[in-house]
Amino acid sequence: MTLLCCAHSPLLVLHSHSPTAPTANRHFPPPRSTTARPSLPSPQRRRFFTPKPNPSPLPSFPAQPLRRFSASASMPSPPDNLLCSRAFWVSESIIAWNVDVGDGGSSYLFASKTANLSITEDVGVQGEDIKVKLEEDSSGLPINVIEKFPHIRDYSAFKVPPGLDVKLLLKCQLAVAAFDSDGKCSNATGLQLPGVLDELFSYSGPLGAIYSSEAISLFLWAPTAQEVRACIYKDPSGGSPLEIVELEETSGVWSTKGPKNWDGCYYTYEVSVYHPSTLQIVKCYANDPYARGLSADGCRTLFVDIASDTLKPEGWDKLADDKPDVLSFSDISIYELHVRDFSASDLTVNDKFRGGYLAFTLQKALSFLDTLVVSHSLLKLELLYWLFSMDLEFLDSAGVCHLKKLSDAGITHVHLLPTFQFGDVADEKEKWKSADTKILEKLPPDSAEQQALITAIQDNDGYNWGYNPVLWGVPKGSYATSPNGPSRIIEFRRMVQALNHIGLRIVLDVVYNHLHGSGPFDENSVLDKIVPGYYLRRNTDGYIEHSTCVNNTASEHFMVERLIVDDLLHWVVDYKVDGFRFDLMGHIMKRTMIKAKAALFSLTKERDGIDGSRIYLYGEGWDFGEVAKNGRGVNASQFNLYGTGIGSFNDRIRDAVLGGSPFGHPLQQGFVTGLLLQPNGHDHGPHAEEMLASSKDHIQVGMAANLRDFVLTNNEGKEVKGSEVLTYDGSTVAYASCPTETINYVSAHDNETLFDIFSLKTPMEISVDERCRINHLATSIIALSQGLPFFHSGDEMLRSKSLDRDSYNSGDWFNRLDFTYNLNNWGVGLPPKAKNEKNWPLIKPRLADPSFKPQRSHILAAVENFSNLLRIRYSSPLFRLKTANAIQERVRFHNTGSSSIPGVIVMSIEDGHEGLPGLSQQDPTYSYIVVIINACPTLVSFSSPTLRARTLQIHPVQLTSFDHVVKSSTYEPSTGCFTVPPRTTSVFVEPRKT
């Protein structure tokens, strides 16, 4: 995410998000900016949900309206309410409270099983069943409590007397009150319970529906519940329960054993529990947090044996043996893709499968293409397009053919945007609304009518990125041919299997940092109904934190962490996925990430059917909100992940390449977009030259995998480490200990596409040919860097979203992908008003200008050039060095210091060869590689004594490419002089002597 704005969720919160974001607009990353970093805005609006009628004849919810307050709203002052929970029951014997009782004062704990507590001015708290005197502990909170709850480190400690039945009290409405020496209540508040719940009820046994040969057992962790019942249904919705089963509790876990004929039926839990948002004991109706199947829209949980052979595609159990091999994480390259984007607009896909899992399985065309006697891939693309135009039945999917092309070139992993059960898209397609594309296609390219038609139905169509989780452990129903029954399970597995068979591993985008719903009545709420106040992170007033968008989760709590780790294991073992990208990973604790990695790595092919050592983890390591600076414990932020082998998005290289940041002015230029070298009229201030030089330093550090200890010469001619190179706000650029801890990228689903960014930041008068070269130039930096390259789907096809900066809910129209390479989706109307209106004056003239629109020949060339970059990367292991030491030994940057040529990066990678003692040989083909990136609008020449007298030549891939410009690059051995055309990356290699 690059911006802090919940782009995925309809709950607009902040305005930014950084990578994949940083990427930008959905969440908020604290991105790196070339200007002073703006302060993060507070939430601006949130949705308050109204309860839907219960579909069954079970007892209805309480009629009293839900009282819920935003943490940003003004809070009533104590002691006039109990909606606030400013005290923390942190262990069985200690309550932490930021209150001074004073000399002669006293404090008490109050409990009411029927939630009858109230506050009066004269008496204080009344209505209790139990009143317990507390004693202040002058020694303060113990160190273990401070480590777990660092945000309350300065609170006073109050001792709970021994002998109390604490477990029983935790099922009650609770409050503490302080009284002065005259007996008058001076303060009263509710309690937050996660600390004591973790101490007394941490549990590692079975949860969910557990199948045995003779029964199905249910297990639910709900230690604060007073009663739990399972309502069993025959159908996915409607009707009365077949039976209602009372569950029995043992140490906070409720369970029951039922017959095997429950299989294929559905169930919901009825949980009677005190909910602090209502100050009442309420009956909550919820799905199983460990659900493995659902009915449409998560109405009910499906009883399903996920291990049943009937749910497995042919050959499923042997898939681990068929997976494409990745020898090292350094060999990974990632292609980010949205399930619906992939095929929703692909007319070569059967309309029953468009936008869903099965679109990835349509591979009949591939065997046919393999028989074509066509040596050049670009010619094959042309022939493929012609065949599609003939509408031949044996050619099923242009999208799959495109993925196969990328796989053949070198892409190893497809990163799928959220595929778990998320909100705001109905699972049943007949409920969707759609705009008439025939009308949309007739409108002018700069018209506001398209976005008006799209936004009118955007909350009722089939589109959303999916960053609004409801249940983590079940595939999204809207992507399946049927949302009821086991179809979504079978079809998801077929998708994984199909992608593996064309050489691609699967990364799932997981969103454990927040949940879409909360409270006892929200139809999207699950966890907060079952153990209210536990799963969601709260501020010191007791209100839910919303810095990630809405309803932040609290992985610092034991059972939250356990649920996350269990869920990851489930997706790997039961769906055989190959990695995870963590949304707003910085809001998850580092400990959780390390536990997750250890649990996954312990999986074996023999025991679990999967090789856990091949599972790669990465995410958004932004450090902001309540977790910033380890405010809730050591979090999984970029700098904290040093040494873990877990990757995080490198927003430094993104911002340096493009210019500014997702928070800055859209015209702010960067290294490849013309800063200083080809101004666009935007006032960059008096320090443009310094900004360009610093941008080059940032990029060079990124190209060396953003290693903290990599030594290079900076723009001032000083030898510095990567950790000593600073951003414009004084932050350190480098943070990684090894190359696999860095995800280099310049574009992701957040923010504008790469082509759109260049259409904004470059001067309006340059040609579309030049913009296409800049697109390729930016991509080349990522493709040829050490560390892991990450690419947003469509950037290789000049993808446009008509300059939409946040298309999370902009429908298929603005998010369209065309794998027949006919259109790039430029100029389909002004982007949606809500996120883009302030930039419409910049956007409108560009969309209206026909010279901005690429032709089909540009798109085909872009696809070919991108594929060539991948082929170059995988032509030599020197582009994919495995250790920090190997990078430091072999990678050098030339053209450095104060006298360097602006806008030019020269990188060499040296392999071991005869006459060079101490450096091992890794590449059997090349002994030396030189990469020259010329971001200038003019040809440049660069000479280096270090690079003289070598047998360098243009890389064979570039020499045989359709890009005639790069072929004019030259090298003169006698002088060590290179000449490189404008806006070109040239790769020179020295073949190993035979």
Side-chain angles (χ1 to χ4, degrees):
M1 312 169 177
T2 293
L3 266 184
L4 274 206
C5 156
C6 222
H8 9 289
S9 167
L11 311 177
L12 175 68
V13 169
L14 298 188
H15 297 286
S16 56
H17 185 326
S18 185
T20 11
T23 312
N25 320 0
R26 310 177 295 111
H27 309 336
F28 346 118
R32 300 259 109 52
S33 173
T34 50
T35 57
R37 183 179 302 173
S39 59
L40 298 177
S42 59
Q44 297 181 11
R45 65 177 170 87
R46 301 189 179 89
R47 172 180 297 170
F48 282 70
F49 298 90
T50 54
K52 285 192 174 181
N54 188 23
S56 76
L58 295 174
S60 60
F61 298 132
Q64 176 177 328
L66 169 63
R67 289 172 284 178
R68 196 168 90 184
F69 295 87
S70 156
S72 62
S74 59
M75 302 296 179
S77 299
D80 61 1
N81 83 99
L82 292 175
L83 279 170
C84 294
S85 296
R86 297 188 173 109
F88 297 73
W89 200 334
V90 293
S91 70
E92 184 175 11
S93 60
I94 298 174
I95 290 174
W97 190 12
N98 189 23
V99 67
D100 182 8
V101 175
D103 293 338
S106 58
S107 58
Y108 291 86
L109 169 67
F110 298 84
S112 169
K113 185 177 181 181
T114 54
N116 284 327
L117 297 182
S118 62
I119 300 177
T120 62
E121 197 166 321
D122 51 346
V123 178
V125 178
Q126 60 182 15
E128 74 277 3
D129 299 317
I130 297 174
K131 179 180 178 181
V132 178
K133 193 173 192 307
L134 305 174
E135 296 293 336
E136 185 170 1
D137 186 344
S138 59
S139 61
L141 297 174
I143 187 64
N144 65 311
V145 170
I146 293 173
E147 288 175 350
K148 182 161 184 170
F149 303 107
H151 61 300
I152 60 169
R153 64 173 59 249
D154 296 325
Y155 279 37
S156 299
F158 292 87
K159 292 187 290 187
V160 179
L164 286 178
D165 189 345
V166 173
K167 291 184 177 181
L168 183 62
L169 288 180
L170 293 174
K171 297 179 180 297
C172 301
Q173 181 189 21
L174 298 169
V176 289
F179 298 84
D180 60 23
S181 57
D182 295 327
K184 184 176 180 181
C185 181
S186 59
N187 211 326
T189 188
L191 286 97
Q192 299 187 38
L193 306 179
V196 66
L197 291 179
D198 279 353
E199 181 174 271
L200 296 180
F201 295 106
S202 292
Y203 170 73
S204 57
L207 288 170
I210 306 300
Y211 280 66
S212 66
S213 58
E214 69 285 345
I216 302 174
S217 299
L218 292 175
F219 296 89
L220 179 72
W221 186 76
T224 61
Q226 296 184 1
E227 182 182 29
V228 176
R229 304 196 298 173
C231 308
I232 316 298
Y233 297 88
K234 174 67 175 176
D235 299 315
S237 63
S240 300
L242 295 173
E243 56 182 314
I244 300 175
V245 181
E246 300 278 349
L247 275 69
E248 296 183 356
E249 183 189 12
T250 302
S251 297
V253 178
W254 299 78
S255 63
T256 189
K257 181 179 287 189
K260 285 299 288 288
N261 62 14
W262 279 358
D263 187 46
C265 294
Y266 297 85
Y267 66 102
T268 58
Y269 283 122
E270 176 193 277
V271 181
S272 297
V273 65
Y274 172 74
H275 207 291
S277 67
T278 65
L279 302 182
Q280 291 183 342
I281 308 296
V282 295
K283 286 187 176 180
C284 299
Y285 297 92
N287 280 299
D288 192 330
Y290 278 73
R292 297 298 177 247
L294 291 170
S295 63
D297 298 322
C299 180
R300 292 167 184 167
T301 302
L302 173 68
F303 279 108
V304 60
D305 182 1
I306 196 75
S308 171
D309 289 340
T310 62
L311 305 182
K312 298 175 182 178
E314 184 179 354
W316 179 252
D317 287 335
K318 297 182 179 179
L319 185 60
D321 296 324
D322 299 335
K323 281 184 176 290
D325 199 13
V326 177
L327 298 178
S328 166
F329 287 158
S330 294
D331 293 327
I332 290 174
S333 56
I334 302 167
Y335 184 77
E336 180 198 45
L337 182 63
H338 184 251
V339 170
R340 184 162 179 83
D341 285 354
F342 175 66
S343 61
S345 303
D346 190 347
L347 298 182
T348 68
V349 173
N350 185 301
D351 59 3
K352 293 185 299 183
F353 303 150
R354 254 175 241 161
Y357 303 125
L358 292 183
F360 291 91
T361 68
L362 305 177
Q363 300 175 18
K364 293 179 185 176
L366 297 180
S367 58
F368 174 79
L369 280 177
D370 289 340
T371 69
L372 295 178
V373 187
V374 179
S375 60
H376 203 284
S377 57
L378 185 57
L379 294 179
K380 189 176 285 189
L381 286 175
E382 288 283 12
L383 182 54
L384 177 62
Y385 178 74
W386 175 78
L387 288 168
F388 283 138
S389 70
M390 300 295 290
D391 197 25
L392 300 177
E393 292 184 0
F394 58 84
L395 292 173
D396 289 304
S397 172
V400 169
C401 290
H402 182 77
L403 289 183
K404 181 63 163 61
K405 177 179 177 63
L406 298 183
S407 173
D408 290 344
I411 289 291
T412 64
H413 287 63
V414 169
H415 158 172
L416 296 176
L417 266 65
T419 53
F420 47 72
Q421 184 66 19
F422 58 80
D424 290 336
V425 172
D427 284 344
E428 296 170 308
K429 298 173 179 60
E430 57 269 23
K431 294 180 179 179
W432 296 351
K433 295 180 181 179
S434 60
D436 190 333
T437 56
K438 292 182 180 179
I439 294 175
L440 294 169
E441 288 169 351
K442 293 177 181 178
L443 296 170
D446 61 337
S447 169
E449 293 185 54
Q450 292 98 325
Q451 63 87 31
L453 292 171
I454 295 300
T455 55
I457 53 98
Q458 66 180 1
D459 293 332
N460 299 286
D461 64 359
Y463 197 90
N464 196 286
W465 280 346
Y467 292 92
N468 31 21
V470 176
L471 275 166
W472 291 321
V474 184
K476 174 62 176 168
S478 65
Y479 294 148
T481 54
S482 172
N484 295 310
S487 294
R488 62 177 86 190
I489 299 170
I490 299 168
E491 293 173 16
F492 193 102
R493 285 172 165 171
R494 287 186 61 192
M495 173 185 69
V496 171
Q497 188 178 52
L499 286 168
N500 283 177
H501 284 167
I502 61 172
L504 295 167
R505 287 180 169 246
I506 315 301
V507 169
L508 295 189
D509 199 326
V510 287
V511 185
Y512 296 124
N513 61 83
H514 68 263
L515 289 165
H516 194 41
S518 64
F521 308 134
D522 183 343
E523 63 181 3
N524 292 307
S525 177
V526 176
L527 297 175
D528 198 44
K529 291 177 177 177
I530 292 171
V531 191
Y534 178 82
Y535 287 95
L536 302 181
R537 185 179 290 136
R538 294 191 284 173
N539 64 18
T540 52
D541 288 320
Y543 297 93
I544 297 169
E545 294 279 8
H546 296 289
S547 59
T548 65
C549 237
V550 66
N551 298 321
N552 296 8
T553 53
S555 69
E556 59 269 28
H557 302 160
F558 181 89
M559 295 301 288
V560 183
E561 179 177 84
R562 182 195 160 173
L563 178 54
I564 291 171
V565 175
D566 286 350
D567 193 64
L568 293 168
L569 289 168
H570 158 60
W571 284 106
V572 170
V573 173
D574 295 327
Y575 289 99
K576 301 187 187 302
V577 302
D578 307 288
F580 298 94
R581 176 265 191 192
F582 290 79
D583 187 64
L584 292 185
M585 180 174 61
H587 271 66
I588 301 171
M589 294 300 108
K590 176 182 177 180
R591 180 194 65 185
T592 305
M593 295 297 301
I594 292 174
K595 282 189 177 181
K597 181 180 177 182
L600 293 168
F601 272 41
S602 71
L603 299 174
T604 66
K605 196 184 296 185
E606 295 74 24
R607 185 185 66 241
D608 308 294
I610 203 77
D611 181 358
S613 68
R614 295 290 189 239
I615 306 300
Y616 181 62
L617 307 181
Y618 64 101
E620 298 179 306
W622 322 132
D623 192 40
F624 69 97
E626 74 282 359
V627 300
K629 295 179 171 50
N630 300 324
R632 294 299 180 98
V634 180
N635 63 325
S637 61
Q638 289 168 326
F639 292 97
N640 287 340
L641 288 175
Y642 179 89
T644 64
I646 297 170
S648 61
F649 286 97
N650 180 8
D651 48 341
R652 284 77 156 164
I653 197 170
R654 176 202 64 190
D655 292 347
V657 169
L658 304 180
S661 79
F663 308 95
H665 195 285
L667 296 185
Q668 188 166 348
Q669 293 177 290
F671 187 80
V672 306
T673 53
L675 178 63
L676 188 68
L677 304 172
Q678 196 168 33
N680 61 7
H682 176 67
D683 183 7
H684 289 84
H687 304 295
E689 184 175 356
E690 178 186 343
M691 291 167 63
L692 179 62
S694 294
S695 294
K696 187 167 83 169
D697 285 349
H698 296 181
I699 294 169
Q700 290 176 156
V701 172
M703 294 185 74
N706 219 47
L707 297 173
R708 191 175 72 180
D709 295 326
F710 180 79
V711 178
L712 74 162
T713 302
N714 67 8
N715 66 86
E716 298 176 348
K718 299 176 181 178
E719 200 170 80
V720 295
K721 291 182 178 181
S723 59
E724 296 170 327
V725 178
L726 304 180
T727 66
Y728 295 96
D729 63 3
S731 302
T732 295
V733 167
Y735 55 78
S737 72
C738 64
T740 56
E741 289 178 2
T742 293
I743 305 292
N744 282 324
Y745 78 110
V746 286
S747 173
H749 62 274
D750 287 307
N751 309 314
E752 296 89 350
T753 66
L754 206 54
F755 182 81
D756 285 351
I757 287 171
F758 298 141
S759 297
L760 279 171
K761 291 181 180 292
T762 56
M764 287 195 66
E765 62 273 11
I766 73 170
S767 68
V768 67
D769 292 340
E770 292 174 280
R771 290 195 183 92
C772 291
R773 290 204 70 78
I774 294 171
N775 194 103
H776 181 55
L777 185 71
T779 303
S780 73
I781 294 174
I782 301 305
L784 303 178
S785 293
Q786 304 295 330
L788 275 58
F790 176 99
F791 308 101
H792 177 41
S793 57
D795 281 345
E796 76 282 10
M797 302 186 297
L798 307 178
R799 181 184 190 176
S800 173
K801 297 180 182 179
S802 212
L803 295 167
D804 190 349
R805 68 174 282 102
D806 186 2
S807 67
Y808 83 97
N809 199 23
S810 298
D812 297 324
W813 181 252
F814 288 99
N815 286 286
R816 181 170 48 179
L817 279 171
D818 180 5
F819 290 113
T820 63
Y821 315 129
N822 203 35
L823 299 169
N824 80 325
N825 213 42
W826 172 267
V828 296
L830 287 169
K833 180 177 181 178
K835 299 291 182 71
N836 299 281
E837 185 180 19
K838 69 177 182 179
N839 289 330
W840 277 3
L842 294 174
I843 294 172
K844 188 175 178 64
R846 288 166 169 79
L847 295 180
D849 188 340
S851 71
F852 274 73
K853 186 173 184 177
Q855 302 303 305
R856 187 161 180 274
S857 59
H858 293 114
I859 298 170
L860 286 168
V863 173
E864 180 69 8
N865 286 335
F866 180 78
S867 300
N868 285 341
L869 285 173
L870 293 173
R871 291 190 184 96
I872 292 171
R873 179 176 182 84
Y874 287 93
S875 70
S876 172
L878 298 179
F879 287 113
R880 310 183 311 279
L881 297 171
K882 297 177 176 61
T883 67
N885 186 57
I887 293 173
Q888 184 64 70
E889 287 180 330
R890 299 164 189 267
V891 175
R892 296 286 181 274
F893 291 97
H894 312 269
N895 187 43
T896 57
S898 57
S899 60
S900 62
I901 303 170
V904 177
I905 291 174
V906 181
M907 177 182 73
S908 66
I909 315 173
E910 186 169 16
D911 198 16
H913 55 84
E914 187 177 348
L916 185 67
L919 197 62
S920 62
Q921 178 182 320
Q922 296 196 12
D923 188 344
T925 307
Y926 304 123
S927 59
Y928 205 84
I929 297 175
V930 176
V931 177
I932 302 182
I933 300 163
N934 177 19
C936 303
T938 57
L939 178 146
V940 298
S941 295
F942 169 76
S943 298
S944 169
T946 306
L947 303 175
R948 277 161 48 183
R950 308 203 74 98
T951 56
L952 293 165
Q953 58 192 42
I954 295 179
H955 196 289
V957 170
Q958 291 189 325
L959 197 59
T960 58
S961 76
F962 274 27
D963 182 1
H964 297 292
V965 175
V966 73
K967 294 178 184 179
S968 65
S969 305
T970 63
Y971 165 70
E972 173 53 55
S974 62
T975 60
C977 181
F978 299 83
T979 59
V980 178
R983 298 192 175 99
T984 296
T985 294
S986 299
V987 180
F988 295 86
V989 293
E990 183 175 70
R992 193 172 292 282
K993 296 176 182 178
T994 57

